[in-house]
Amino acid sequence: MRANSDQTPADKIRLLAGTFLLEAWELLRSEHVVPASRFRPYLRVGSDYEGQPLMGLASFTALETALFEHFPNRFEEPLKAQKPEFPNHYIFRLLEAYIAHSAKVGNEAEGAATASIVVDEFLSALSATEYSLVSARLVSHVTTATMEPIEIDGLVVRPLRQPSYEDRPIAAISKLIPDAGRAFRDGPPFAHDPPTSLVIVQEASGEVSESVATRLARRIERFLLLTRLIHGATVQSHWQITGPTTLISEASIDGVGFVKSGIAFQFVQRIATVSSDDAVGYAALDNLLDNAEIAREKMFTTSFDMALNRFTRTYTSGDLLDAFVDLATTMEAIFVSGGSGNEDVGLRLRTRAAALLATRDDSGRKIFDDIRRLYNIRSKLVHGGSLAMKDLDKDLRTLVPNYSGVASTIALSFAVDRFRDLARRAILARLALASGASPLWPWVGDIQVDAELADDQARHHWHESWTTQLSSIGLSRSIGKAEPAVDVLAPPQLRNTGEGTSED
């Protein structure tokens, strides 16, 4: 087909792109590269086929020249641009999109229709001045009250009704990121720990840069932190896909797995069922975290940042013994760090936690005793001592009910869950006590905390202050002990709920 003088630049590029796709297809067919399998439709230049022969085609050169000519603002002097773009990148993305969609159609007679679809996307991507990037993370132990997607704190939580085909994670993400399947060459890591949801965040930007993807990942991490603090949920990240909302883009599609084995099954589980009513509480707690007056200047790290980091790590490491150490560090960083006294750290921690975290269903004495037992386990680990089963049994027996019938891994999981729930409440209490115009326990300064808590009236005032504040922002259910976690491997009638006693 011969170009005519009435052709627009778009018409010319469309014609050149179509010609290139036909020639490239025949070349790749001769190399037995195409047609691709519909089970592995996503090919990559440099690994599945060689790019140099294609770049030697006259149709490739003509298309590349036309892109330089008609999109000078995008491709002119790319080496001087902060984020350079090159025509050949777009051309190879066009070809790979064509190959992938041809594999899905499975009928070479539909090649012209497929070419028209991908060329339209090609022209749209070249003309765009703004990119829309999506991050979608598969997480476990999060669902919604209605099983419908809801928006919370600027993100969307989309429950998955497995084994529905439409609710397979990749199928669901592909509605937002057309080529989501390209993110993992051999498919995403296996994950089965229901209920599962996709946590989705999207951002439009005038640039394609790693900073946008990093920002999206941080927003998801913040949402998960809020969910863990508010619901006490055992939410786990499995994998995440980040990519553009268009079929063809300079932005790449990236997939990352969070669990080395691909499995992050939690024996002891607590589910977060979120609803639109949670939006106020999420936003308020997010604001508390953002406005925490932490002195970070000239600091490598702070006790507050250390606490959140170690608390979060207990959900990702998968090592129960490490979790004891991390949670002890969290509790100390929140309740003890910054004081000037030389008194026993464990005793100060136990008395402060008992005074501030006690509720009607979780007495100060119970909290005091449980932290002592949890610290017994932690101390053995930190100081490199051996941990004999009889010593572990003594502490776990009162932390875990029906302990004699519970496997050691399950018992340890319940102990970690108790420790983590105390750390969760400690973080919330400390955030509230350090907020406001006249905080009772600011992050900076030397407050005689133990002297204050020794006074009955002051202790009541401190406790009342933080619990009332959280209740006023919609977080009353987060103040006390979380709903009992369950051992999901046990038969329903025998499931342990982790409710121990305070007897020795």
Side-chain angles (χ1 to χ4, degrees), residues 133-457:
L133 207 62
V134 172
S135 277
R137 184 177 301 188
L138 180 68
V139 301
S140 58
H141 307 170
V142 179
T143 188
T144 66
T146 62
M147 286 300 293
E148 295 296 327
I150 62 169
E151 184 174 333
I152 294 285
D153 203 37
L155 297 91
V156 172
V157 180
R158 187 196 189 288
L160 297 175
R161 296 184 179 90
Q162 297 175 330
S164 165
Y165 177 83
E166 287 298 313
D167 274 1
R168 290 190 311 161
I170 289 292
I173 294 174
S174 293
K175 296 176 181 178
L176 300 169
I177 305 173
D179 275 356
R182 186 184 295 276
F184 294 100
R185 188 166 180 79
D186 296 316
F190 174 78
H192 179 75
D193 198 5
T196 55
S197 291
L198 293 172
V199 177
I200 304 163
V201 61
Q202 182 170 341
E203 180 178 325
S205 174
E207 61 174 346
V208 177
S209 67
E210 293 181 1
S211 63
V212 179
T214 300
R215 191 157 58 243
L216 295 180
R218 286 176 178 169
R219 289 184 62 189
I220 293 176
E221 287 293 347
R222 172 60 70 90
F223 173 80
L224 297 183
L225 173 63
L226 295 174
T227 301
R228 290 158 179 159
L229 290 174
I230 292 172
H231 296 275
T234 51
V235 54
Q236 292 270 308
S237 294
H238 292 272
W239 48 263
Q240 176 178 297
I241 293 176
T242 300
T245 57
T246 55
L247 186 64
I248 298 169
S249 170
E250 180 66 12
S252 60
I253 296 177
D254 180 57
V256 57
F258 296 98
V259 184
K260 291 181 179 179
S261 66
I263 302 174
F265 189 84
Q266 297 291 293
F267 300 110
V268 172
Q269 300 180 0
R270 187 181 294 102
I271 310 303
T273 302
V274 297
S275 71
S276 56
D277 294 337
D278 290 325
V280 173
Y282 271 81
L285 182 55
D286 197 25
N287 189 57
L288 272 181
L289 286 166
D290 283 340
N291 293 328
E293 296 185 1
I294 311 297
R296 294 188 173 93
E297 187 177 356
K298 298 182 180 180
M299 297 292 291
F300 180 75
T301 188
T302 67
S303 59
F304 176 73
D305 296 320
M306 175 72 74
L308 292 186
N309 176 269
R310 292 305 178 96
F311 176 75
T312 299
R313 198 164 74 172
T314 67
Y315 291 89
T316 60
S317 70
D319 190 306
L320 294 173
L321 299 183
D322 279 349
F324 276 98
V325 179
D326 285 337
L327 290 168
T329 301
T330 300
M331 294 290 285
E332 291 175 10
I334 286 293
F335 270 170
V336 181
S337 180
S340 58
N342 294 319
E343 296 88 350
D344 177 77
V345 170
L347 178 59
R348 290 164 63 202
L349 175 60
R350 292 195 298 273
T351 55
R352 293 180 183 188
L356 292 172
L357 305 184
T359 59
R360 189 170 296 178
D361 64 344
D362 198 12
S363 69
R365 174 58 189 272
K366 179 73 164 67
I367 291 172
F368 186 96
D369 288 344
D370 280 0
I371 291 178
R372 174 171 58 82
R373 295 185 182 96
L374 292 165
Y375 254 72
N376 284 342
I377 300 172
R378 170 261 184 194
S379 295
K380 287 284 188 181
L381 299 172
V382 167
H383 299 298
S386 300
L387 189 58
M389 279 303 303
K390 66 176 184 178
D391 296 329
L392 184 61
D393 287 348
K394 183 178 179 181
D395 291 316
L396 292 180
R397 193 173 300 280
T398 51
L399 288 166
V400 182
N402 305 317
Y403 174 60
S404 59
V406 178
S408 57
T409 300
I410 304 299
L412 278 172
S413 296
F414 274 119
V416 167
D417 183 75
R418 171 59 168 164
F419 210 170
R420 191 155 53 196
D421 192 52
L422 289 168
R424 174 189 70 85
R425 291 153 63 190
I427 292 170
L428 291 175
R430 194 72 176 83
L431 278 169
L433 289 169
S435 66
S438 301
L440 293 172
W441 192 358
W443 296 107
V444 180
D446 191 6
I447 304 297
Q448 300 299 314
V449 178
D450 299 300
E452 289 288 321
L453 296 180
D455 180 83
D456 290 343
Q457 187 174 353

Side-chain angles (χ1 to χ4, degrees), residues 12-28:
K12 179 181 179 180
I13 291 174
R14 186 183 301 278
L15 177 63
L16 293 172
T19 302
F20 165 70
L21 289 176
L22 290 175
E23 292 186 7
W25 183 271
E26 291 307 315
L27 177 58
L28 293 178

